[in-house]
Amino acid sequence: MVDTRPFLPVSSHAGSDPTGPSENRRKPMKLQLSIFFVLLTVGFFAALLTSNNGSDNGFVKENEHGSLASPSSEKQLRPVSRGPAVGVSEKSNRLFAKDNENQLAYPWNNSMLSWQRTAFHFQPEKNWMNDPNGPLFYKGWYHFFYQYNPHAAVWGDIVWGHAVSKDLIHWLHLPLAMVADQWYDKNGVWTGSATILPDGKVVMLYTGSTTENVQVQNLAYPADHSDPLLINWVKYSGNPVLVPPPGILDKDFRDPTTAWLTSEGKWRITIGSKINKTGIALVYDTKDFINYELLDGVLHAVPGTGMWECVDFFPVSKTEENGLDTSVNGPSVKHVVKASLDDDRHDYYSIGTYHEKNGTWIPDEPKIDVGIGLRYDYGIYYAAKTFYDQNKNRRVLWGWIGESDSEAADMQKGWASVQSIPRTILFDKKTGTHLLQWPVEEIESLRLKSYEFNQVKVQAGSVVPLDVGPATQLDIIAEFEIDKEALEKTTGSNVTFSCSSSGGTIERGALGPFGLLVLADDSLSEQTPVYFYIAKGSDGKLKTFFCNDQSRSSVASDVNKRIYGNLVPVLEGEKLSLRVLVDHSIVESFAQGGRTVITSRVYPTKAIYGAAKLFLFNNATEASVSASLRIWQMNSAFIRPYPNNKESQ
Amino acid sequence: MTKIISLFILEAVFCFTFFTVSYSDINLIQTTCKKTPFYDLCVLTLKSDPRSSTADVSGLARIVADSVKAKAIATLNQISALLNSVKDPTLEKALEGCIVSYNTIIQADIPVAIDAIEKNNPKFAVQSATDAGNEAQACENSFAEKPSNSPIFSGNKAVHDLSVVLQSIASLLL
């Protein structure tokens, strides 16, 4: 029983007054007391009611979490499957394997783990890497910087790593370019981009996370412009040059782009951000990279896409087969806006028109706007960034490829992440909606022995081994022709197909799947299919899908088993074409000249070293295919530290 | 009369403040936990930590991260104890694998998640939390006697489910 009296003016009974006045005082006191009790009771019931509201296991978001919300009678621990609406990181919740007997937990020994290191993809000697930073060509060297943790094989303590190369393939490691030694980047020397000024000098803009965890933009430049290796960097004494503007949160302001010139002779940059759940790109003009003016409005915004990380903005030629300097504009030029979506860890791009006067950009096809349309890559690929290579007049794309194994394995092997092979980017004149990505031609310098196969017939439901010797470092170019009769005769259906929701290569259709099995062992107990699947609609129209199926890539149970891929436009008269780079634990696949690209990480336990083989396969039910291929063994790129003695160049 | 009225107002304000303050804390916990697949576990974990009464979503994520770590340490101790007396080689192998998993959770996954939340780069917290859940899952999977549970099932389940809660809350920070 609550004693409410202390709050009320107590009239002392030992007091003086006779009944009259105390009678008067007692009535209001009773009133007070009863009001107080009423309020107390109401409050009590309100609390009861609200706590009852939440006791059901309903949840608000679109994600469908499976049977894991388990009553105590659940015997088995089941992982949660992540619905398509929710962002999925490289590490996805593991699904119970369809075939439990074949699953091994902890199969990893040092032999398997050391095999995973790539031979010709960029990676530091050890530890964690993420976003590519400030790529550029300067005084005869290609420079590559990257987010790096010098201490562990997991994200943290991020600084800028640095490497140089003459040909974008053979890299030499240099000392760290920038570390977290200022208050404005103490909590992270994050992503940034380089701009080459007309006089040839370089400026770097990058995001720092301050001691208060505020995201700011900082200016840095080479300590010695005559050093072709650009080893030492100086941070501008007046940093930061940009802080989050009004209306933008401290945590939503990062990854400044390369600058381009406006018709007024100013430099313009864009920085990704968000307002609530609308992803946006802010625009700033500057004359000196020190003082900036924020433009009204934004370059572009797309609701529902969340934070835009690593925004990239660049021109592509509608007519020429070369790249364009970032400042180029004109009637035969389209502009690409690209964003890395924080919400789903994918890179999206869209082609459109840049309106220089007010610093805005409009997509050609709003249905495939930034964040809701095309992706650079349908596998593991994030934080990509392009640069204009003035050496060879091309636009080159870098992309971060994370791991899809367990962090326990990463810790054991001592490293995590690689970069994709740099790709040239061109506007796809034939579709007008896509970009074409293709590994830089310098990679061909790694080609060793080649094997040619002409018109190999692969019947429906069969597998053909391709004898190419060791099959862990390969460059494969293939063309497929499908039996025309089967194409015409097959009845179409309304059923929609998607790589990720399909059953992988065990799901047989009339006209697919068919393609290659890479990193497969003789018994095919481990295999990574890279393949086409043709679906015929009820209107008779054909749709071609390009997929990469990880579900049987390894008997280990602690690696991703997803199926990646997307539609690939195949135009009248085009053969189905494929290029695949196999480099140990990474497979990069390009369909139709790079119209649709898939990068995946593969961690076999058996299909490694000499046991890894290559096969053609056709698991369609009706159509046979014939394949012509050229396959090269690939040499290592011998990526190593820059030699100390001056003689060895 | 005015005295009565002012006293009445005072009481009303007092009651109102008392209940709305605690109501809104509970409210943030509830709305946050509704967005995870383990509502009851989430609420219980948060409410039993005094920091939750003044925490924002970031703070709630931190509390869950700390709880995952605590549960993981407890389970690791259980595993070590079992290893001391194990005779069966298959069981021993599974337990040793679990040591690796739990060390990863404690030394890598949770510290990275906490760091990422603090530094406002939540996608790395989502990734690490997902991995922590997977590590617990891998440990549970490695015991041969299916469909019955491993000797450390309750630890594995607790760590797994809490990791999923952490993953969900960290996703809200994206």
PDB file of all heavy atoms in Angstrom, chain A residues 32 35 50 54 59 68 70 75 82 94 106 187 213 309 407-408, chain B residues 8 11 23 34 38-39 101 109 119 123 131 134 149 157 167:
ATOM      1  N   GLN A  32      -7.586  14.656  -3.279  1.00  0.00           N
ATOM      2  CA  GLN A  32      -6.223  14.520  -3.807  1.00  0.00           C
ATOM      3  C   GLN A  32      -5.804  13.068  -3.856  1.00  0.00           C
ATOM      4  O   GLN A  32      -5.303  12.572  -4.855  1.00  0.00           O
ATOM      5  CB  GLN A  32      -5.231  15.259  -2.884  1.00  0.00           C
ATOM      6  CG  GLN A  32      -5.497  16.714  -2.734  1.00  0.00           C
ATOM      7  CD  GLN A  32      -4.821  17.521  -3.823  1.00  0.00           C
ATOM      8  OE1 GLN A  32      -4.553  17.001  -4.907  1.00  0.00           O
ATOM      9  NE2 GLN A  32      -4.561  18.777  -3.544  1.00  0.00           N
ATOM     10  N   ILE A  35      -7.613  11.091  -6.483  1.00  0.00           N
ATOM     11  CA  ILE A  35      -7.110  11.424  -7.843  1.00  0.00           C
ATOM     12  C   ILE A  35      -5.777  10.745  -8.082  1.00  0.00           C
ATOM     13  O   ILE A  35      -5.536  10.155  -9.132  1.00  0.00           O
ATOM     14  CB  ILE A  35      -6.981  12.956  -8.006  1.00  0.00           C
ATOM     15  CG1 ILE A  35      -8.363  13.594  -8.043  1.00  0.00           C
ATOM     16  CG2 ILE A  35      -6.213  13.278  -9.281  1.00  0.00           C
ATOM     17  CD1 ILE A  35      -8.333  15.102  -8.001  1.00  0.00           C
ATOM     18  N   THR A  50       0.812  -1.940 -22.618  1.00  0.00           N
ATOM     19  CA  THR A  50       1.881  -1.754 -23.610  1.00  0.00           C
ATOM     20  C   THR A  50       2.850  -2.911 -23.596  1.00  0.00           C
ATOM     21  O   THR A  50       3.375  -3.299 -24.627  1.00  0.00           O
ATOM     22  CB  THR A  50       2.650  -0.449 -23.372  1.00  0.00           C
ATOM     23  OG1 THR A  50       3.104  -0.432 -22.021  1.00  0.00           O
ATOM     24  CG2 THR A  50       1.765   0.744 -23.635  1.00  0.00           C
ATOM     25  N   GLY A  54       3.745  -6.178 -27.094  1.00  0.00           N
ATOM     26  CA  GLY A  54       4.928  -6.668 -27.796  1.00  0.00           C
ATOM     27  C   GLY A  54       5.163  -8.156 -27.649  1.00  0.00           C
ATOM     28  O   GLY A  54       6.091  -8.697 -28.215  1.00  0.00           O
ATOM     29  N   PHE A  59       7.149  -9.386 -36.364  1.00  0.00           N
ATOM     30  CA  PHE A  59       8.126  -8.327 -36.574  1.00  0.00           C
ATOM     31  C   PHE A  59       7.763  -7.554 -37.824  1.00  0.00           C
ATOM     32  O   PHE A  59       7.146  -8.037 -38.730  1.00  0.00           O
ATOM     33  CB  PHE A  59       9.546  -8.866 -36.652  1.00  0.00           C
ATOM     34  CG  PHE A  59       9.646 -10.287 -37.060  1.00  0.00           C
ATOM     35  CD1 PHE A  59       9.719 -10.641 -38.393  1.00  0.00           C
ATOM     36  CD2 PHE A  59       9.653 -11.286 -36.096  1.00  0.00           C
ATOM     37  CE1 PHE A  59       9.802 -11.958 -38.773  1.00  0.00           C
ATOM     38  CE2 PHE A  59       9.748 -12.599 -36.476  1.00  0.00           C
ATOM     39  CZ  PHE A  59       9.814 -12.942 -37.812  1.00  0.00           C
ATOM     40  N   LEU A  68      13.390 -20.264 -37.280  1.00  0.00           N
ATOM     41  CA  LEU A  68      14.327 -20.127 -36.186  1.00  0.00           C
ATOM     42  C   LEU A  68      13.713 -19.543 -34.935  1.00  0.00           C
ATOM     43  O   LEU A  68      14.192 -19.757 -33.845  1.00  0.00           O
ATOM     44  CB  LEU A  68      15.488 -19.215 -36.621  1.00  0.00           C
ATOM     45  CG  LEU A  68      16.838 -19.882 -36.629  1.00  0.00           C
ATOM     46  CD1 LEU A  68      17.319 -20.080 -35.227  1.00  0.00           C
ATOM     47  CD2 LEU A  68      16.768 -21.184 -37.356  1.00  0.00           C
ATOM     48  N   SER A  70      12.186 -20.162 -32.619  1.00  0.00           N
ATOM     49  CA  SER A  70      11.775 -21.518 -32.285  1.00  0.00           C
ATOM     50  C   SER A  70      11.236 -21.636 -30.883  1.00  0.00           C
ATOM     51  O   SER A  70      11.778 -21.065 -29.952  1.00  0.00           O
ATOM     52  CB  SER A  70      12.960 -22.460 -32.453  1.00  0.00           C
ATOM     53  OG  SER A  70      14.079 -21.886 -31.818  1.00  0.00           O
ATOM     54  N   LYS A  75      14.386 -29.046 -31.710  1.00  0.00           N
ATOM     55  CA  LYS A  75      15.580 -29.788 -31.340  1.00  0.00           C
ATOM     56  C   LYS A  75      16.819 -29.182 -31.976  1.00  0.00           C
ATOM     57  O   LYS A  75      17.841 -29.027 -31.372  1.00  0.00           O
ATOM     58  CB  LYS A  75      15.434 -31.247 -31.805  1.00  0.00           C
ATOM     59  CG  LYS A  75      14.493 -32.042 -30.958  1.00  0.00           C
ATOM     60  CD  LYS A  75      15.147 -32.453 -29.640  1.00  0.00           C
ATOM     61  CE  LYS A  75      14.150 -33.202 -28.778  1.00  0.00           C
ATOM     62  NZ  LYS A  75      14.557 -33.282 -27.397  1.00  0.00           N
ATOM     63  N   ARG A  82      17.740 -15.373 -44.970  1.00  0.00           N
ATOM     64  CA  ARG A  82      17.513 -13.953 -45.170  1.00  0.00           C
ATOM     65  C   ARG A  82      16.672 -13.722 -46.411  1.00  0.00           C
ATOM     66  O   ARG A  82      17.032 -14.158 -47.478  1.00  0.00           O
ATOM     67  CB  ARG A  82      18.878 -13.293 -45.352  1.00  0.00           C
ATOM     68  CG  ARG A  82      18.906 -11.919 -44.886  1.00  0.00           C
ATOM     69  CD  ARG A  82      19.746 -11.792 -43.631  1.00  0.00           C
ATOM     70  NE  ARG A  82      19.895 -10.389 -43.305  1.00  0.00           N
ATOM     71  CZ  ARG A  82      21.031  -9.751 -43.332  1.00  0.00           C
ATOM     72  NH1 ARG A  82      22.112 -10.396 -43.655  1.00  0.00           N
ATOM     73  NH2 ARG A  82      21.102  -8.494 -43.036  1.00  0.00           N
ATOM     74  N   ARG A  94      24.047 -19.093 -43.009  1.00  0.00           N
ATOM     75  CA  ARG A  94      24.169 -20.387 -43.672  1.00  0.00           C
ATOM     76  C   ARG A  94      22.842 -21.129 -43.623  1.00  0.00           C
ATOM     77  O   ARG A  94      22.197 -21.199 -42.603  1.00  0.00           O
ATOM     78  CB  ARG A  94      25.215 -21.237 -42.971  1.00  0.00           C
ATOM     79  CG  ARG A  94      26.501 -20.540 -42.826  1.00  0.00           C
ATOM     80  CD  ARG A  94      27.502 -20.925 -43.887  1.00  0.00           C
ATOM     81  NE  ARG A  94      28.757 -20.259 -43.605  1.00  0.00           N
ATOM     82  CZ  ARG A  94      29.166 -19.153 -44.224  1.00  0.00           C
ATOM     83  NH1 ARG A  94      28.447 -18.626 -45.150  1.00  0.00           N
ATOM     84  NH2 ARG A  94      30.313 -18.589 -43.901  1.00  0.00           N
ATOM     85  N   TYR A 106      34.912 -27.517 -40.381  1.00  0.00           N
ATOM     86  CA  TYR A 106      36.333 -27.515 -40.079  1.00  0.00           C
ATOM     87  C   TYR A 106      37.164 -28.482 -40.904  1.00  0.00           C
ATOM     88  O   TYR A 106      37.943 -29.249 -40.362  1.00  0.00           O
ATOM     89  CB  TYR A 106      36.596 -27.835 -38.603  1.00  0.00           C
ATOM     90  CG  TYR A 106      35.665 -27.138 -37.681  1.00  0.00           C
ATOM     91  CD1 TYR A 106      34.820 -27.849 -36.848  1.00  0.00           C
ATOM     92  CD2 TYR A 106      35.610 -25.756 -37.623  1.00  0.00           C
ATOM     93  CE1 TYR A 106      33.965 -27.212 -35.995  1.00  0.00           C
ATOM     94  CE2 TYR A 106      34.753 -25.106 -36.769  1.00  0.00           C
ATOM     95  CZ  TYR A 106      33.930 -25.847 -35.958  1.00  0.00           C
ATOM     96  OH  TYR A 106      33.073 -25.217 -35.098  1.00  0.00           O
ATOM     97  N   ASN A 187      39.924   7.912 -36.460  1.00  0.00           N
ATOM     98  CA  ASN A 187      39.089   6.725 -36.414  1.00  0.00           C
ATOM     99  C   ASN A 187      38.889   6.093 -37.780  1.00  0.00           C
ATOM    100  O   ASN A 187      38.009   5.267 -37.962  1.00  0.00           O
ATOM    101  CB  ASN A 187      37.738   7.054 -35.762  1.00  0.00           C
ATOM    102  CG  ASN A 187      37.840   7.036 -34.250  1.00  0.00           C
ATOM    103  OD1 ASN A 187      38.559   6.214 -33.689  1.00  0.00           O
ATOM    104  ND2 ASN A 187      37.164   7.950 -33.590  1.00  0.00           N
ATOM    105  N   ASN A 213      34.124  10.552 -34.339  1.00  0.00           N
ATOM    106  CA  ASN A 213      33.391   9.733 -35.307  1.00  0.00           C
ATOM    107  C   ASN A 213      32.502  10.543 -36.246  1.00  0.00           C
ATOM    108  O   ASN A 213      31.440  10.089 -36.658  1.00  0.00           O
ATOM    109  CB  ASN A 213      32.554   8.658 -34.597  1.00  0.00           C
ATOM    110  CG  ASN A 213      33.436   7.621 -33.950  1.00  0.00           C
ATOM    111  OD1 ASN A 213      34.321   7.053 -34.584  1.00  0.00           O
ATOM    112  ND2 ASN A 213      33.241   7.392 -32.671  1.00  0.00           N
ATOM    113  N   GLU A 309      27.259   4.730 -50.888  1.00  0.00           N
ATOM    114  CA  GLU A 309      28.695   4.764 -50.604  1.00  0.00           C
ATOM    115  C   GLU A 309      29.450   4.777 -51.937  1.00  0.00           C
ATOM    116  O   GLU A 309      28.916   4.389 -52.964  1.00  0.00           O
ATOM    117  CB  GLU A 309      29.105   3.509 -49.817  1.00  0.00           C
ATOM    118  CG  GLU A 309      28.403   3.336 -48.481  1.00  0.00           C
ATOM    119  CD  GLU A 309      29.076   2.279 -47.625  1.00  0.00           C
ATOM    120  OE1 GLU A 309      28.975   1.087 -47.974  1.00  0.00           O
ATOM    121  OE2 GLU A 309      29.690   2.648 -46.611  1.00  0.00           O
ATOM    122  N   GLU A 407      35.013 -16.263 -40.958  1.00  0.00           N
ATOM    123  CA  GLU A 407      36.118 -15.457 -40.462  1.00  0.00           C
ATOM    124  C   GLU A 407      37.141 -16.310 -39.732  1.00  0.00           C
ATOM    125  O   GLU A 407      38.321 -15.960 -39.678  1.00  0.00           O
ATOM    126  CB  GLU A 407      35.600 -14.311 -39.582  1.00  0.00           C
ATOM    127  CG  GLU A 407      35.445 -13.074 -40.441  1.00  0.00           C
ATOM    128  CD  GLU A 407      34.764 -11.901 -39.783  1.00  0.00           C
ATOM    129  OE1 GLU A 407      35.034 -11.639 -38.590  1.00  0.00           O
ATOM    130  OE2 GLU A 407      33.964 -11.261 -40.468  1.00  0.00           O
ATOM    131  N   ALA A 408      36.687 -17.440 -39.219  1.00  0.00           N
ATOM    132  CA  ALA A 408      37.643 -18.354 -38.577  1.00  0.00           C
ATOM    133  C   ALA A 408      38.696 -18.778 -39.598  1.00  0.00           C
ATOM    134  O   ALA A 408      39.902 -18.822 -39.299  1.00  0.00           O
ATOM    135  CB  ALA A 408      36.916 -19.567 -38.016  1.00  0.00           C
TER     136      ALA A 408
ATOM    137  N   PHE B   8      -2.765  19.092  -7.594  1.00  0.00           N
ATOM    138  CA  PHE B   8      -3.285  18.138  -8.568  1.00  0.00           C
ATOM    139  C   PHE B   8      -2.395  18.113  -9.799  1.00  0.00           C
ATOM    140  O   PHE B   8      -2.024  17.058 -10.309  1.00  0.00           O
ATOM    141  CB  PHE B   8      -4.728  18.535  -8.924  1.00  0.00           C
ATOM    142  CG  PHE B   8      -5.297  17.682 -10.026  1.00  0.00           C
ATOM    143  CD1 PHE B   8      -5.764  16.394  -9.746  1.00  0.00           C
ATOM    144  CD2 PHE B   8      -5.373  18.149 -11.343  1.00  0.00           C
ATOM    145  CE1 PHE B   8      -6.287  15.609 -10.754  1.00  0.00           C
ATOM    146  CE2 PHE B   8      -5.899  17.359 -12.344  1.00  0.00           C
ATOM    147  CZ  PHE B   8      -6.353  16.087 -12.059  1.00  0.00           C
ATOM    148  N   GLU B  11       0.872  16.395  -9.036  1.00  0.00           N
ATOM    149  CA  GLU B  11       0.755  14.936  -9.041  1.00  0.00           C
ATOM    150  C   GLU B  11       0.624  14.407 -10.449  1.00  0.00           C
ATOM    151  O   GLU B  11       1.233  13.401 -10.803  1.00  0.00           O
ATOM    152  CB  GLU B  11      -0.490  14.493  -8.283  1.00  0.00           C
ATOM    153  CG  GLU B  11      -0.409  14.710  -6.809  1.00  0.00           C
ATOM    154  CD  GLU B  11      -1.816  14.718  -6.214  1.00  0.00           C
ATOM    155  OE1 GLU B  11      -2.677  13.983  -6.748  1.00  0.00           O
ATOM    156  OE2 GLU B  11      -2.036  15.456  -5.253  1.00  0.00           O
ATOM    157  N   TYR B  23       7.973   4.454 -20.175  1.00  0.00           N
ATOM    158  CA  TYR B  23       7.216   3.971 -21.325  1.00  0.00           C
ATOM    159  C   TYR B  23       8.030   4.114 -22.599  1.00  0.00           C
ATOM    160  O   TYR B  23       8.061   3.245 -23.437  1.00  0.00           O
ATOM    161  CB  TYR B  23       5.910   4.774 -21.433  1.00  0.00           C
ATOM    162  CG  TYR B  23       5.038   4.384 -22.599  1.00  0.00           C
ATOM    163  CD1 TYR B  23       4.134   3.333 -22.491  1.00  0.00           C
ATOM    164  CD2 TYR B  23       5.119   5.070 -23.808  1.00  0.00           C
ATOM    165  CE1 TYR B  23       3.336   2.982 -23.571  1.00  0.00           C
ATOM    166  CE2 TYR B  23       4.329   4.721 -24.877  1.00  0.00           C
ATOM    167  CZ  TYR B  23       3.438   3.673 -24.754  1.00  0.00           C
ATOM    168  OH  TYR B  23       2.658   3.338 -25.817  1.00  0.00           O
ATOM    169  N   LYS B  34      11.201  -5.769 -32.131  1.00  0.00           N
ATOM    170  CA  LYS B  34      10.207  -6.274 -33.086  1.00  0.00           C
ATOM    171  C   LYS B  34      10.837  -6.491 -34.448  1.00  0.00           C
ATOM    172  O   LYS B  34      10.339  -7.271 -35.254  1.00  0.00           O
ATOM    173  CB  LYS B  34       9.056  -5.274 -33.228  1.00  0.00           C
ATOM    174  CG  LYS B  34       7.963  -5.465 -32.239  1.00  0.00           C
ATOM    175  CD  LYS B  34       6.750  -4.609 -32.592  1.00  0.00           C
ATOM    176  CE  LYS B  34       5.765  -4.648 -31.421  1.00  0.00           C
ATOM    177  NZ  LYS B  34       4.769  -3.584 -31.497  1.00  0.00           N
ATOM    178  N   PHE B  38      13.903 -12.667 -32.853  1.00  0.00           N
ATOM    179  CA  PHE B  38      13.845 -13.252 -31.514  1.00  0.00           C
ATOM    180  C   PHE B  38      13.427 -12.194 -30.506  1.00  0.00           C
ATOM    181  O   PHE B  38      14.222 -11.746 -29.676  1.00  0.00           O
ATOM    182  CB  PHE B  38      15.210 -13.824 -31.130  1.00  0.00           C
ATOM    183  CG  PHE B  38      15.662 -14.937 -32.022  1.00  0.00           C
ATOM    184  CD1 PHE B  38      16.692 -14.732 -32.920  1.00  0.00           C
ATOM    185  CD2 PHE B  38      15.051 -16.180 -31.968  1.00  0.00           C
ATOM    186  CE1 PHE B  38      17.110 -15.755 -33.752  1.00  0.00           C
ATOM    187  CE2 PHE B  38      15.461 -17.205 -32.800  1.00  0.00           C
ATOM    188  CZ  PHE B  38      16.494 -16.991 -33.691  1.00  0.00           C
ATOM    189  N   TYR B  39      12.162 -11.823 -30.594  1.00  0.00           N
ATOM    190  CA  TYR B  39      11.669 -10.693 -29.807  1.00  0.00           C
ATOM    191  C   TYR B  39      11.913 -10.884 -28.316  1.00  0.00           C
ATOM    192  O   TYR B  39      12.469 -10.015 -27.641  1.00  0.00           O
ATOM    193  CB  TYR B  39      10.182 -10.475 -30.079  1.00  0.00           C
ATOM    194  CG  TYR B  39       9.597  -9.347 -29.277  1.00  0.00           C
ATOM    195  CD1 TYR B  39       9.712  -8.030 -29.705  1.00  0.00           C
ATOM    196  CD2 TYR B  39       8.958  -9.594 -28.055  1.00  0.00           C
ATOM    197  CE1 TYR B  39       9.199  -6.988 -28.972  1.00  0.00           C
ATOM    198  CE2 TYR B  39       8.443  -8.557 -27.312  1.00  0.00           C
ATOM    199  CZ  TYR B  39       8.566  -7.256 -27.769  1.00  0.00           C
ATOM    200  OH  TYR B  39       8.067  -6.223 -27.033  1.00  0.00           O
ATOM    201  N   SER B 101      35.985 -21.862 -33.536  1.00  0.00           N
ATOM    202  CA  SER B 101      34.812 -21.015 -33.803  1.00  0.00           C
ATOM    203  C   SER B 101      34.617 -19.979 -32.720  1.00  0.00           C
ATOM    204  O   SER B 101      34.393 -18.802 -32.998  1.00  0.00           O
ATOM    205  CB  SER B 101      33.544 -21.869 -33.878  1.00  0.00           C
ATOM    206  OG  SER B 101      33.543 -22.635 -35.044  1.00  0.00           O
ATOM    207  N   ASP B 109      34.929 -11.447 -34.350  1.00  0.00           N
ATOM    208  CA  ASP B 109      33.580 -10.995 -34.697  1.00  0.00           C
ATOM    209  C   ASP B 109      33.054  -9.893 -33.790  1.00  0.00           C
ATOM    210  O   ASP B 109      32.618  -8.839 -34.263  1.00  0.00           O
ATOM    211  CB  ASP B 109      32.597 -12.173 -34.673  1.00  0.00           C
ATOM    212  CG  ASP B 109      32.848 -13.150 -35.818  1.00  0.00           C
ATOM    213  OD1 ASP B 109      33.287 -12.695 -36.883  1.00  0.00           O
ATOM    214  OD2 ASP B 109      32.609 -14.355 -35.632  1.00  0.00           O
ATOM    215  N   LYS B 119      32.209   3.365 -34.889  1.00  0.00           N
ATOM    216  CA  LYS B 119      32.756   4.208 -35.945  1.00  0.00           C
ATOM    217  C   LYS B 119      31.733   4.493 -37.034  1.00  0.00           C
ATOM    218  O   LYS B 119      32.077   5.020 -38.077  1.00  0.00           O
ATOM    219  CB  LYS B 119      34.002   3.538 -36.549  1.00  0.00           C
ATOM    220  CG  LYS B 119      35.087   3.321 -35.503  1.00  0.00           C
ATOM    221  CD  LYS B 119      36.471   3.456 -36.078  1.00  0.00           C
ATOM    222  CE  LYS B 119      37.470   3.607 -34.950  1.00  0.00           C
ATOM    223  NZ  LYS B 119      38.283   2.407 -34.750  1.00  0.00           N
ATOM    224  N   LYS B 123      27.859  -1.648 -41.692  1.00  0.00           N
ATOM    225  CA  LYS B 123      27.820  -2.854 -42.525  1.00  0.00           C
ATOM    226  C   LYS B 123      28.830  -3.889 -42.036  1.00  0.00           C
ATOM    227  O   LYS B 123      28.609  -5.104 -42.147  1.00  0.00           O
ATOM    228  CB  LYS B 123      28.044  -2.539 -44.000  1.00  0.00           C
ATOM    229  CG  LYS B 123      29.415  -1.976 -44.352  1.00  0.00           C
ATOM    230  CD  LYS B 123      29.482  -1.704 -45.857  1.00  0.00           C
ATOM    231  CE  LYS B 123      30.829  -1.167 -46.280  1.00  0.00           C
ATOM    232  NZ  LYS B 123      31.048   0.227 -45.882  1.00  0.00           N
ATOM    233  N   ASP B 131      28.617 -13.585 -39.199  1.00  0.00           N
ATOM    234  CA  ASP B 131      29.649 -14.590 -39.059  1.00  0.00           C
ATOM    235  C   ASP B 131      29.592 -15.254 -37.690  1.00  0.00           C
ATOM    236  O   ASP B 131      29.744 -16.475 -37.582  1.00  0.00           O
ATOM    237  CB  ASP B 131      31.037 -13.989 -39.286  1.00  0.00           C
ATOM    238  CG  ASP B 131      32.114 -15.051 -39.341  1.00  0.00           C
ATOM    239  OD1 ASP B 131      32.165 -15.769 -40.355  1.00  0.00           O
ATOM    240  OD2 ASP B 131      32.861 -15.200 -38.365  1.00  0.00           O
ATOM    241  N   ASN B 134      27.074 -17.799 -37.707  1.00  0.00           N
ATOM    242  CA  ASN B 134      27.514 -18.934 -38.516  1.00  0.00           C
ATOM    243  C   ASN B 134      28.544 -19.783 -37.797  1.00  0.00           C
ATOM    244  O   ASN B 134      28.577 -21.001 -37.940  1.00  0.00           O
ATOM    245  CB  ASN B 134      28.095 -18.442 -39.840  1.00  0.00           C
ATOM    246  CG  ASN B 134      27.031 -17.908 -40.773  1.00  0.00           C
ATOM    247  OD1 ASN B 134      25.863 -18.269 -40.665  1.00  0.00           O
ATOM    248  ND2 ASN B 134      27.414 -17.041 -41.690  1.00  0.00           N
ATOM    249  N   ASN B 149      20.888 -33.111 -30.118  1.00  0.00           N
ATOM    250  CA  ASN B 149      21.733 -31.938 -29.967  1.00  0.00           C
ATOM    251  C   ASN B 149      23.099 -32.271 -29.391  1.00  0.00           C
ATOM    252  O   ASN B 149      23.294 -33.293 -28.759  1.00  0.00           O
ATOM    253  CB  ASN B 149      21.037 -30.930 -29.055  1.00  0.00           C
ATOM    254  CG  ASN B 149      19.703 -30.527 -29.627  1.00  0.00           C
ATOM    255  OD1 ASN B 149      19.536 -30.413 -30.829  1.00  0.00           O
ATOM    256  ND2 ASN B 149      18.736 -30.320 -28.745  1.00  0.00           N
ATOM    257  N   LYS B 157      23.019 -22.358 -29.289  1.00  0.00           N
ATOM    258  CA  LYS B 157      21.769 -21.705 -29.685  1.00  0.00           C
ATOM    259  C   LYS B 157      21.716 -20.280 -29.158  1.00  0.00           C
ATOM    260  O   LYS B 157      21.327 -19.364 -29.881  1.00  0.00           O
ATOM    261  CB  LYS B 157      20.559 -22.494 -29.173  1.00  0.00           C
ATOM    262  CG  LYS B 157      19.245 -21.806 -29.551  1.00  0.00           C
ATOM    263  CD  LYS B 157      18.114 -22.794 -29.737  1.00  0.00           C
ATOM    264  CE  LYS B 157      16.786 -22.082 -29.972  1.00  0.00           C
ATOM    265  NZ  LYS B 157      16.763 -21.303 -31.219  1.00  0.00           N
ATOM    266  N   GLN B 167      22.743  -8.822 -35.549  1.00  0.00           N
ATOM    267  CA  GLN B 167      22.743  -8.571 -36.992  1.00  0.00           C
ATOM    268  C   GLN B 167      21.548  -7.707 -37.377  1.00  0.00           C
ATOM    269  O   GLN B 167      21.678  -6.756 -38.142  1.00  0.00           O
ATOM    270  CB  GLN B 167      22.692  -9.923 -37.694  1.00  0.00           C
ATOM    271  CG  GLN B 167      22.623  -9.886 -39.197  1.00  0.00           C
ATOM    272  CD  GLN B 167      22.310 -11.276 -39.752  1.00  0.00           C
ATOM    273  OE1 GLN B 167      22.659 -12.301 -39.173  1.00  0.00           O
ATOM    274  NE2 GLN B 167      21.655 -11.312 -40.877  1.00  0.00           N
TER     275      GLN B 167
END
